Amino acid sequence: MNDREVAEGLCVVLLTAPDAASAQRLARALVEEGLAACVNRIPGLHSIYRWQGAVQEAAEELLIAKTLRARIPALAERVADLHPYALPEVIALPVVGGSAAYLDWVRSESTA
């Protein structure tokens, strides 16, 4: 079995949050509700983006969630419910390999 087969159906989801409290609430809910096996919080992110026709800047936290591809719609819906932004970032990237044991754990912990 190659890395791609081991990682089939797994994703890393990138999310941003405006502050530590929002990031904590999102991360905890996603893990407690089985939408992600793990969510890493990375503070100190500085984002520059275009919003409503103007360039904006904001301090944010980056969240990295590990989950099943099949869980992404439910995860995105839950983020929309909990997030203070009108348009929260939810970007899923496929996992193409990794530690088989870790990926099995992500799979087992992200199944509802």
Side-chain angles (χ1 to χ4, degrees), residues 33 60 75 78 85 92:
E33 296 171 22
E60 295 182 301
L75 184 149
R78 190 64 175 130
Y85 290 166

Side-chain angles (χ1 to χ4, degrees), residues 2-78:
N2 65 36
D3 276 353
R4 184 167 296 280
E5 291 168 329
V6 169
E8 183 66 33
L10 297 178
C11 289
V12 170
V13 181
L14 304 178
L15 313 148
T16 53
D19 53 54
S22 296
Q24 179 68 18
R25 184 174 61 254
L26 285 163
R28 191 165 234 353
L30 295 178
V31 173
E32 284 180 348
E33 296 171 22
L35 296 168
C38 174
V39 178
N40 305 113
R41 288 180 45 206
I42 304 172
L45 184 69
H46 187 84
S47 296
I48 301 170
Y49 55 95
R50 184 173 300 282
W51 179 248
Q52 298 180 336
V55 175
Q56 307 286 325
E57 295 190 34
E60 295 182 301
E61 282 201 15
L62 176 64
L63 302 176
I64 304 170
K66 279 71 94 181
T67 192
L68 295 167
R69 180 176 303 169
R71 300 297 281 154
I72 293 170
L75 184 149
E77 184 176 324
R78 190 64 175 130

